[in-house]
Amino acid sequence: MVIKVEYVARLNAIEQEINELKSRIAALQAQLQKSQISKVSLEQIELVLGNFLNTFSSITREQRKRLLQLLIHQITIGEDCKIESI
């Protein structure tokens, strides 16, 4: 009898964990649906780049450095000292 009680308790715990995981999956799926990427128009890009240049010139040297580090992940330079990829 004790073994059966232990199995029932374990089964209930597993079912509860399954329900919690299903709930987390549903929440993550809802979050993914909200974060759909929309198309960016040429006008929006021009506006952002125009603002970028104005903002870039007005921030501190350390802020510029950090911003460039965030924008440029890696630069690859070939043997001929030319930039191969950014």
Side-chain angles (χ1 to χ4, degrees):
M1 266 311 177
V2 174
I3 295 175
K4 184 177 180 181
V5 171
E6 290 175 7
Y7 283 128
V8 170
R10 180 71 179 138
L11 178 62
N12 289 336
I14 290 173
E15 286 176 348
Q16 181 180 357
E17 186 176 352
I18 288 172
N19 289 333
E20 290 172 4
L21 290 172
K22 284 181 180 180
S23 178
R24 285 182 59 196
I25 288 171
L28 290 172
Q29 286 175 337
Q31 185 179 359
L32 278 174
Q33 288 177 349
K34 288 181 183 178
S35 66
Q36 294 295 328
I37 297 174
S38 60
K39 292 184 180 181
V40 179
S41 70
L42 180 59
E43 292 80 21
Q44 290 172 323
I45 293 172
E46 289 173 347
L47 179 65
V48 168
L49 288 178
N51 290 341
F52 174 81
L53 295 175
N54 293 335
T55 305
F56 190 78
S57 63
S58 67
I59 60 177
T60 66
R61 188 169 194 254
E62 285 299 314
Q63 289 171 327
R64 287 182 197 158
K65 177 182 173 183
R66 181 66 181 139
L67 180 60
L68 290 175
Q69 287 173 340
L70 291 171
L71 292 173
I72 301 171
H73 176 69
Q74 177 179 347
I75 298 175
T76 305
I77 300 176
E79 291 180 12
D80 56 357
C81 295
K82 292 186 178 181
I83 296 174
E84 292 180 352
S85 67
I86 296 179

